[in-house]
Amino acid sequence: MSYYPQSFKRSLTKQLLAGFGMSLITVGLSSMWVNYHLVRSDLKQQVRERAQSITQGLEFATEGSLELGHASNLRRVVQNYATLPAVVQIAIVSPDGRILAHSSSDGGAMPSGEGISIPLKQAMELAASTGRSQTLYETIGDRKVLVDILPFSSYIFETQGKRGLAIAILDLQQIEQDSWHTFFTSTVTMTVGTIGILVLMGLALHKTILGPLKRLNCALERSQKTETFNLPSAMPDNEIGFLAKTFEKVFQKLEKHEQLQKEIEERKLAVAALRESETRERAKSEQLACTLEDLTQAQSQLIQTEKMSSLGQMVAGVAHEINNPVNFIHGNLSHAKDYIRDLLNLVKLYQREYPQPTAAIEEEMEAVELDFLSEDLGKLLGSMKVGTDRIRDIVCSLRMFSRLDEAEIKQADLHDGIDSTLMILHHRLKPKPEYPGIQIIKAYDRLPEIGCYAGQLNQVFMNILSNAIDALDEYNRSRTAKEIQLSPSTIWIRTAIIDRDWVEIRISDNGPGMSEEVRSKLFDPFFTTKAVGQGTGLGLSISYQIVVDKHGGSLQCYSGVGLGAEFAIRIPTRQTLERAA
């Protein structure tokens, strides 16, 4: 494992020395620039002060010589001041601009009249009129000079409001030469000092910092190969030594950390494997639980289906066994009626042909009440025919409800299935002395025959209608006779064509309704609100599977507490046949 780079592009020694060198050079150049300007400024100040002292001396000497009228003394004073260092010209000028004394016999470099420069002329006029001294830098010929003008007064001057002028002109070239000489001397001294400081600093850096750092670097490079860190010898007792000891501790902790990391990774792998195993086992357990629940539900549904199938077979068998004798009786009733009619006609004929019967015949006629028998026998045969018709209708409804001959999808009329279900449940709908009865209101649309499992749909109608009857019966037990009279128990059955592919059957009641919690669980297997032994909780669950799974339709319930309940069944008209295929 590598903790340190293999090599440096530049050594730390060179970088530090270069950095210190650049810093010292920068500081040195800045110091030289500042020193140069300070020297020049100082020399200019000295020159300005020298010029001012010269003009002040001229003023003092000029006032006395002028008042005494010693022109020769005045020229001697001017010549003496002209011998001072860096002095170019000395002049005494009267208020009207005449040169009273000059350091050059021919007028020299002192311009006058039209030859004087405008700034100098303005400065002279300003000094003469205001009495304030003026200092300015000028160029006379090819020489840069400093001109100092000092005004002075004398009673011999006739011009009022103006003063005489003492003018000193000093050469600036010599000042620049002196400043360059001073600057060169200081620069050489500073450069030598900088080099010396740099050398001493390099030696000190190498001994106190760079040498120990180099040994520490070598130890770190060796640690890349051995992955162990050995503290270098002769490390100073300073920050570098502390850094080396810190590296040693860090490497020791890193070794422990690597070992701990390996243990953690191994434990993580073990925990991950354990969790994966637990996840698989949990998934298997959940799958087994779901499978067990499905098997339990399937078993209950199979039992219920088998019960319904057995019941259907029993109903079909009973209907078949009842149908034969009923058909025999119903078929012979018409013949019996004809025979009895013929016999009664024959008796009437005997009465007409033999109006005077014997005493035995009259006694028998009175015993059997021949007149009543003749009148009531037709009514008796008519009621027998009505009874056999009723039995035949019930048998037909039972056979239609069981649909044992229609195990496959066939075209069927849903209205026939609903009516046959109502016929079977008629005994629960009609009123009794202790039971008010339930009204059935049908609103049938003209439905086409649809492909379906007719027997299974009849089972759906039976389950929904039976639950509605149970709910109304339970509701009536909690109501008074007056409440029942004001709002009689009613079941509405409506059919409609939704579009060319769907039909809808809605079965609703005005019972107590149900809460949202009950409604949401209505189609769950084994869910029931009835007492133990009165319901299995599979009727609506099986009905949901028949409508949704077997027919590709939908079964929904809309209800609220005190609002009754409505079941909406939607069945496709053509897709069911395609699903069966």
Side-chain angles (χ1 to χ4, degrees), residues 345-366:
N345 288 335
L346 179 61
V347 171
K348 291 179 181 179
L349 180 61
Y350 266 102
Q351 287 177 341
R352 287 197 303 270
E353 294 296 330
Y354 299 97
Q356 297 298 328
T358 62
I361 292 174
E362 288 183 355
E363 184 178 354
E364 186 63 27
M365 289 174 60
E366 290 178 359

Side-chain angles (χ1 to χ4, degrees), residues 97-111:
R98 277 184 310 109
I99 298 176
L100 301 178
H102 196 276
S103 59
S104 177
S105 59
D106 58 356
M110 183 64 198

Side-chain angles (χ1 to χ4, degrees), residues 123-139:
M124 292 172 64
E125 292 178 354
L126 184 62
S129 60
T130 62
R132 291 195 298 267
S133 62
Q134 301 292 322
T135 302
L136 71 157
Y137 295 93
E138 273 289 322
T139 301

